[in-house]
Amino acid sequence: MAKVSVFNMEGSEVGQIDLKDEIFGVKINKHLVHMAVVQQLANKRQGTQKAKTRAEVRGGGRKPWRQKGTGHARQGSNRSPQWKGGGVVFAPTPRDYSFKLNKKEKRLALKSVLTSRVLDGKLIVLDELKFDEIKTKKFKTVMDNLKVTKALVVIADNDQNIVRSARNIPKFMTAQPNTINVYDIMKGDTLILTKDAVSKIEEVYA
């Protein structure tokens, strides 16, 4: 089992925690990590881009000039792609970019990126993260104590005091164990987990 230090909100080390190898110590599969990121970004695409082909552009029913004898190249329509105002060759049409990954593939990708955070020393475990009120300044102080400038903070439950305190700080995101994903973990330079969140992750993804 991997051992990592546990810190308090003041940034002091208060102990250590053992992480389960089946979650935080798997063999890293870079291909699945890549596919998981591509899938999430593809699924976010609206796919509403549209341009008109020569069949959809208005006009162009009449031949611009006769076939022979003008000295110009022959033209059949002034809405051909080479004309100003003409249609677009292979014009984009609305489409669905999303695709699916198997459940096992998604889980292995998530475990791979969690393992990489442990190996890279970019995983911080907090003994607890609690605020009595919604206060952005307090959240920023905790992150400064931990010397973190960009991170995904995973908490065990939907504590609005934490979520709303972090919401206005650039480069910080909050999530719960059942909503974490490969892209968000990789987007943050550091992954911060509370001890309760570690327990839930090991329970959910075991």
Side-chain angles (χ1 to χ4, degrees):
M1 285 188 174
K3 270 186 185 270
V4 295
S5 299
V6 178
F7 296 88
N8 59 20
M9 292 170 60
E10 285 71 45
S12 302
E13 186 175 340
V14 293
Q16 289 189 324
I17 187 173
D18 291 322
L19 302 175
K20 288 185 178 180
D21 285 340
E22 55 263 36
I23 306 294
F24 296 93
V26 302
K27 183 179 179 182
I28 297 174
N29 190 319
K30 292 183 179 179
H31 173 67
L32 285 183
V33 172
H34 170 74
M35 289 302 296
V37 172
V38 171
Q39 187 217 19
Q40 188 164 347
L41 293 177
N43 291 357
K44 282 183 175 181
R45 294 185 68 173
Q46 287 184 324
T48 54
Q49 187 181 14
K50 176 71 173 76
K52 291 182 178 181
T53 65
R54 62 180 295 173
E56 297 168 314
V57 177
R58 185 180 179 189
R62 179 175 174 271
K63 203 169 164 60
W65 49 75
R66 67 180 189 267
Q67 182 82 343
K68 296 179 180 290
T70 64
H72 295 296
R74 52 191 168 188
Q75 300 290 334
S77 169
N78 61 3
R79 289 297 177 259
S80 296
Q82 72 270 23
W83 283 69
K84 181 181 177 181
V88 178
V89 181
F90 306 127
T93 54
R95 55 170 288 195
D96 181 10
Y97 289 92
S98 66
F99 64 94
K100 289 186 177 181
L101 280 181
N102 293 334
K103 188 175 180 180
K104 286 184 178 179
E105 291 177 324
K106 278 186 177 181
R107 289 221 165 175
L108 184 53
L110 183 61
K111 291 176 183 179
S112 293
V113 79
L114 288 173
T115 300
S116 73
R117 282 291 178 256
V118 175
L119 296 177
D120 295 341
K122 294 184 177 180
L123 175 68
I124 295 176
V125 179
L126 284 174
D127 60 345
E128 65 172 2
L129 184 61
K130 288 185 179 178
F131 297 139
D132 297 329
E133 57 181 340
I134 299 168
K135 202 74 176 176
T136 300
K137 190 175 181 180
K138 284 186 177 180
F139 185 90
K140 184 68 168 62
T141 300
V142 173
M143 295 301 111
D144 289 342
N145 292 339
L146 296 171
K147 298 178 182 177
V148 175
T149 56
K150 184 178 182 182
L152 173 66
V153 181
V154 183
I155 53 179
D157 49 30
N158 189 22
D159 187 336
Q160 286 298 303
N161 284 352
I162 298 172
V163 174
R164 295 173 71 179
S165 294
R167 192 164 56 185
N168 287 333
I169 305 179
K171 299 183 180 180
F172 284 95
M173 290 177 60
T174 57
Q176 294 171 252
N178 60 340
T179 64
I180 57 175
N181 59 73
V182 173
Y183 179 70
D184 287 344
I185 293 174
M186 294 190 70
K187 194 176 177 184
D189 289 340
T190 307
L191 176 62
I192 300 175
L193 307 173
T194 63
K195 283 180 72 174
D196 291 341
V198 171
S199 300
K200 280 200 173 182
I201 287 173
E202 292 179 340
E203 179 185 333
V204 171
Y205 300 103

